[in-house]
Amino acid sequence: MPLTATEVKEAKPQEKPRKLADGGGLYLLVQPNGAKYWRYKYRYGGKEKTLALGVYPEVSLKSARQKHLAARDKLAQGTDPGEVRKVEKLTRHLAAAESFEAVAREWFNQTMPEKSESYRMRTGRILDKDLYPVLGNRPVAAITAPELLATLRRIEGRGAYDMAHRAKQTAGQIFRYAVATGRAERDPSGDLKGALKPKRQKKHHAALTNPAEVGRLLVAMDGFEGTPTVKTALLLSPLLFQRPGEIRAMEWAEINWEAEQWEIPAEKMKMRQPHIVPLCSQALDLLRELHPLTGRGRFVFPSPRGASRCLSENGVRTALRTIGYDNDTMTPHGFRATARTILDEVLGYRVDWIEHQLAHAVKDANGRAYNRTAHLEGRAKMMQGWADYLDNLKAQAMAGNVITATFR
């Protein structure tokens, strides 16, 4: 007798698994734990086989009979329904492996370890927020230029024109990776040249390069009345002229007191190369003053929200605003331009020393990149000369008579 919906619903478990037959090889398997599974027992090629048709109640009696009928039709045509199921599963697996998201994640894991943390995070946000929700499940080889453009238009729609260009660049890298690994024939992003709204004009980091103005800035910085942590980060910014993110993430373990230098590991640098910053006497004094306050923790400039993370990117920026310097006048990043300009044009130091100290890519006469210790003695003298020059600018500004001199 065929099963009824009520019998299926009320079927009780026993100590051992039991089968309730519906006819034609279809039966309900009731496990001792109460779970119920639809199964189809058939013979193919002289062998007895079983095909899973789903779990009750997700698959009702009616649905199970429909699946059973479809499997019997395949069997009547000389096809093993179990093998058909395996092929379908493999096809779905391969399709998933060749989806845009699958390829993108593979590309990300292959290429991102050597990139900076900020670049990895920015790229990850583009993928998670803008590309995966729209293109993630699509076969990477089937995505067309109009489809990609429609995705990028959504980003433009919220006014994020620069982000749309970054998303296009990221998508292009993924498509080219798909081509290289045999998952796609071409990169559709190449067809979108000129299709996006232009990027907003890049705004350069505001910086002071006039010695007199720098002197007045230094006087104002000395008068800043913020926390010792923020004030020390502010005062070290012109002395060290490293990237703001590198300064605020400085760790006590990176300070080599004996060698009087700050040794930054490669993973924290934009160029992914270790970097040495010689510490002038003024910088060492500032660090020694701060050490009793934050020296027990990891970061030289811990966040006020907790010592497990460093000062936020707004710490020094807000300090500059507090003393009267907005983003159009001076930025934390602007200290780099200040040092680059004056060290070269006023103090006359070697350009390669300056560029090396800025952690820019510098090559020797043979085109080889200098190692981190190249010209270290000369760079140390330059850093001390720069600090002494800044002290002179500040003193002259306080006296109301700025002069420029060479401190070498």
Side-chain angles (χ1 to χ4, degrees):
M1 292 282 296
L3 293 170
T4 66
T6 300
E7 287 176 325
V8 172
K9 181 179 181 180
E10 296 179 352
K12 304 297 182 182
Q14 298 180 356
E15 291 185 5
K16 295 182 179 181
R18 66 186 184 120
K19 301 175 182 178
L20 303 179
D22 187 58
L26 175 64
Y27 63 90
L28 180 70
L29 176 65
V30 182
Q31 297 284 18
N33 63 1
K36 301 174 183 179
Y37 302 94
W38 293 109
R39 295 290 186 263
Y40 170 39
K41 184 172 70 174
Y42 65 98
R43 296 187 68 83
Y44 184 85
K47 296 181 180 180
E48 185 175 284
K49 297 188 175 187
T50 302
L51 181 67
L53 298 180
V55 182
Y56 180 85
E58 285 78 9
V59 177
S60 65
L61 173 61
K62 181 178 179 180
S63 296
R65 285 171 175 168
Q66 292 173 342
K67 291 186 176 185
H68 170 236
L69 182 61
R72 290 191 67 178
D73 286 343
K74 289 184 175 65
L75 193 62
Q77 297 169 11
T79 302
D80 182 355
E83 290 301 313
V84 172
R85 172 75 59 79
K86 290 179 182 179
V87 171
E88 290 174 346
K89 185 176 181 179
L90 178 60
T91 300
R92 288 195 301 270
H93 175 75
L94 291 175
E98 295 183 1
S99 70
F100 179 86
E101 181 171 347
V103 175
R105 292 190 181 279
E106 183 180 317
W107 164 81
F108 190 94
N109 291 333
Q110 288 277 352
T111 61
M112 287 297 135
E114 296 183 358
K115 304 295 184 181
S116 66
E117 182 180 359
S118 61
Y119 184 83
R120 290 197 301 271
M121 291 180 64
R122 185 178 69 187
T123 304
R125 284 195 297 269
I126 289 173
L127 291 171
D128 292 335
K129 182 178 180 181
D130 296 313
L131 297 182
Y132 288 161
V134 184
L135 301 176
N137 293 327
R138 294 277 292 126
V140 69
I143 297 173
T144 63
E147 186 176 2
L148 176 59
L149 180 59
T151 302
L152 300 177
R153 288 275 190 248
R154 292 162 64 102
I155 305 174
E156 287 186 331
R158 62 175 191 263
Y161 303 127
D162 289 357
M163 188 63 67
H165 282 270
R166 292 195 191 107
K168 173 178 172 288
Q169 181 183 34
T170 298
Q173 291 175 315
I174 294 166
F175 285 122
R176 290 190 290 277
Y177 178 80
V179 172
T181 55
R183 265 81 68 85
E185 294 294 328
R186 61 188 303 276
D187 168 20
S189 71
D191 297 332
L192 301 185
K193 185 176 181 180
L196 296 179
K197 294 181 180 179
K199 296 181 183 178
R200 289 192 172 93
Q201 189 171 359
K202 187 174 182 180
K203 188 175 182 179
H204 294 284
H205 300 288
L208 301 178
T209 56
N210 178 278
E213 293 177 346
V214 174
R216 289 190 287 271
L217 168 63
L218 296 172
V219 172
M221 288 168 57
D222 253 7
F224 176 66
E225 297 181 351
T227 65
T229 299
V230 174
K231 184 168 184 177
T232 303
L234 174 66
L235 296 178
L236 281 176
S237 294
L239 293 173
L240 306 181
F241 55 85
Q242 299 306 298
R243 296 179 180 90
E246 294 158 4
I247 291 179
R248 63 188 180 85
M250 181 189 294
E251 300 180 29
W252 286 113
E254 297 166 0
I255 305 299
N256 186 331
W257 297 102
E258 183 177 354
E260 298 184 344
Q261 59 192 30
W262 172 25
E263 299 170 354
I264 312 175
E267 59 268 20
K268 295 177 71 174
M269 297 299 298
K270 180 178 180 180
M271 305 303 292
R272 314 305 288 171
Q273 294 293 328
H275 185 52
I276 292 178
V277 182
L279 296 173
C280 59
S281 60
Q282 293 90 330
L284 288 167
D285 288 344
L286 287 169
L287 290 170
R288 290 191 184 101
E289 291 175 11
L290 186 63
H291 192 269
L293 297 178
T294 68
R296 293 184 179 181
R298 172 186 173 188
F299 293 108
V300 176
F301 310 111
S303 168
R305 297 183 178 180
S308 62
R309 52 182 174 177
C310 66
L311 188 69
S312 79
E313 61 182 349
N314 289 322
V316 173
R317 185 185 303 277
T318 301
L320 285 170
R321 288 181 181 176
T322 301
I323 60 176
Y325 290 83
D326 60 21
N327 284 336
D328 294 326
T329 308
M330 187 66 185
T331 63
H333 201 283
F335 287 113
R336 291 168 61 78
T338 298
R340 171 67 178 82
T341 301
I342 296 178
L343 282 169
D344 176 22
E345 298 179 5
V346 178
L347 301 182
Y349 282 99
R350 285 176 49 171
V351 173
D352 59 331
W353 292 8
I354 301 169
E355 291 296 307
H356 200 120
Q357 207 50 61
L358 287 164
H360 290 162
V362 182
K363 296 183 179 180
D364 61 20
N366 296 317
R368 296 171 300 191
Y370 284 123
N371 61 47
R372 64 176 185 160
T373 61
H375 308 299
L376 190 56
E377 182 178 352
R379 286 158 46 204
K381 292 179 179 179
M382 178 183 72
M383 296 296 281
Q384 186 61 57
W386 169 245
D388 293 341
Y389 175 76
L390 293 180
D391 280 348
N392 176 263
L393 288 183
K394 182 172 62 175
Q396 295 299 324
M398 292 176 68
N401 180 27
V402 176
I403 62 171
T404 59
T406 301
F407 292 81
R408 303 184 64 174

